[in-house]
Amino acid sequence: MRVTVLSGSDSPEREVSLASGRAVQVALEKLGHEVTVIDPGPDLPVRLLENPPDFVWIALHGDKGENGKLQGLLDWLGLPYNGSGVTASAIAMDKIVSKRLFIAEGIPTPAYRVAEVVPELTECKEWLRVLGSPLVIKPADGGSTVGVTIAAEATQIPEAVRLALQYSSQVLIERYIPGQEITVALLDGLVLPAIEIVPQGREFYDYEAKYAPGGSRHLIPPNLAADVLKASVDAAYRACRAVGSTGLVRADVRVDPEGQPWVLEVNTLPGMTATSLAPEAAQAAGINFEQLIQRIIDRSLD
């Protein structure tokens, strides 16, 4: 097949996207496909129509590839692609909308507030009073923990919101859940082995912990009691189903010291780098990277 890989763009997650794109390109070529790589810009529709591919692999991360707009363009052009469709992509990328959906569906998710401007100190103190300390402050529609801050004091919050506003017009102020970080990937509805993420020398699972070699340890299976693991996987599965995701998708969950899971978000285009979690979960299920790539393409074309 002729496959076009989209990676790069001008997202804050450009470098991660390029790494995902390179890994996918190598796998596709090993599988015998003819691969073209495009670093998308305003001329993307023209470039896609000049020599239409049989399949488009979206290796973009951040708003340019994950919020449904690109999916809508590809639908309009009649080009099949990996990942979820327009609606699921848009819902999952918007952390505020997805949290409202989780709450409506009875899926446990941390309490939150929303900011669109830098708050006054009195409002910061009220957030701490209601939500507890510390708070997680992050862009409402970003990824890879870009622009994320953990703030324990009211005086830290305005600057944290200011940072997040550089990446999004809305900021999520969320209750911090102490405990363990768990991620659960689904492949066409099949639950892959859960992974516990243990950051090494970092306060939380930030950008360096995600992408730097040795930035985190991944435990399969997680160090959880069987009933807690089951509840965590169930919450992740329900969250992925609630947003309507398809293909390869991943949900991030925090498990507090009492064993209660809390869904943070759903990622409809998980990373495909050397340290990425979804391919690792597939490998644990006996599906190697090339098999994973081909399976995603085959199911997307069904």
Side-chain angles (χ1 to χ4, degrees):
M1 293 175 58
R2 289 177 294 109
V3 181
T4 292
V5 176
L6 304 181
S7 69
S9 84
D10 60 355
S11 161
E13 299 168 68
R14 174 180 173 81
E15 293 305 316
V16 181
S17 172
L18 290 171
S20 285
R22 284 191 294 269
V24 171
Q25 178 186 1
V26 170
L28 288 168
E29 290 173 344
K30 285 182 179 179
L31 290 164
H33 299 296
E34 178 186 331
V35 183
T36 301
V37 179
I38 294 179
D39 191 337
D43 62 344
L44 177 61
V46 174
R47 296 182 69 182
L48 287 172
L49 290 176
E50 283 175 345
N51 185 21
D54 301 310
F55 191 85
V56 176
W57 188 283
I58 306 172
L60 299 171
H61 302 304
D63 60 343
K64 294 295 172 64
E66 296 186 66
N67 63 8
K69 294 179 182 178
L70 176 59
Q71 287 75 11
L73 169 65
L74 296 174
D75 284 343
W76 184 260
L77 297 178
L79 298 175
Y81 54 89
N82 61 303
S84 299
V86 175
T87 303
S89 299
I91 291 172
M93 191 63 185
D94 190 323
K95 294 179 175 63
I96 296 168
V97 171
S98 58
K99 282 180 80 71
R100 288 171 179 161
L101 179 59
F102 298 157
I103 292 168
E105 292 291 320
I107 299 167
T109 190
Y112 73 101
R113 294 291 187 271
V114 178
E116 296 180 349
V117 297
V118 177
E120 299 292 335
L121 201 57
T122 52
E123 189 172 16
C124 298
K125 291 177 180 178
E126 178 64 11
W127 290 340
L128 287 169
R129 187 188 69 80
V130 174
L131 301 177
S133 176
L135 296 175
V136 182
I137 298 167
K138 54 190 172 184
D141 56 0
S144 293
T145 62
V146 174
V148 176
T149 304
I150 294 181
E153 304 293 337
T155 54
Q156 298 173 316
I157 295 174
E159 188 57 37
V161 172
R162 185 176 288 107
L163 173 64
L165 284 171
Q166 295 178 20
Y167 301 98
S168 175
S169 61
Q170 290 187 307
V171 176
L172 189 66
I173 295 92
E174 189 176 55
R175 176 191 165 207
Y176 175 78
I177 304 296
Q180 295 160 270
E181 181 101 7
I182 309 296
T183 192
V184 180
L186 274 63
L187 178 60
D188 302 314
L190 170 69
V191 178
L192 300 176
I195 301 176
E196 179 179 353
I197 305 155
V198 184
Q200 299 297 288
R202 315 292 299 182
E203 183 181 9
F204 67 106
Y205 191 46
D206 62 6
Y207 190 93
E208 289 298 319
K210 286 184 177 181
Y211 302 117
S216 62
R217 288 192 302 124
H218 299 166
L219 307 181
I220 305 175
N223 185 24
L224 294 172
D227 59 334
V228 175
L229 178 58
K230 183 179 184 301
S232 302
V233 170
D234 178 67
Y237 177 83
R238 291 172 60 207
C240 292
R241 300 291 289 178
V243 303
S245 61
T246 55
L248 181 65
V249 60
R250 202 190 78 232
D252 295 330
V253 179
R254 293 284 294 183
V255 180
D256 68 24
E258 286 72 46
Q260 169 67 49
W262 302 87
V263 175
L264 301 181
E265 60 183 77
V266 171
N267 186 336
T268 56
L269 281 177
M272 303 294 280
T273 69
T275 58
S276 293
L277 294 157
E280 185 176 355
Q283 182 69 53
I287 305 169
N288 69 32
F289 194 72
E290 287 79 22
Q291 291 170 332
L292 177 63
I293 297 296
Q294 189 62 54
R295 177 167 173 166
I296 291 170
I297 291 175
D298 291 342
R299 294 298 177 89
S300 300
L301 293 172
D302 285 346

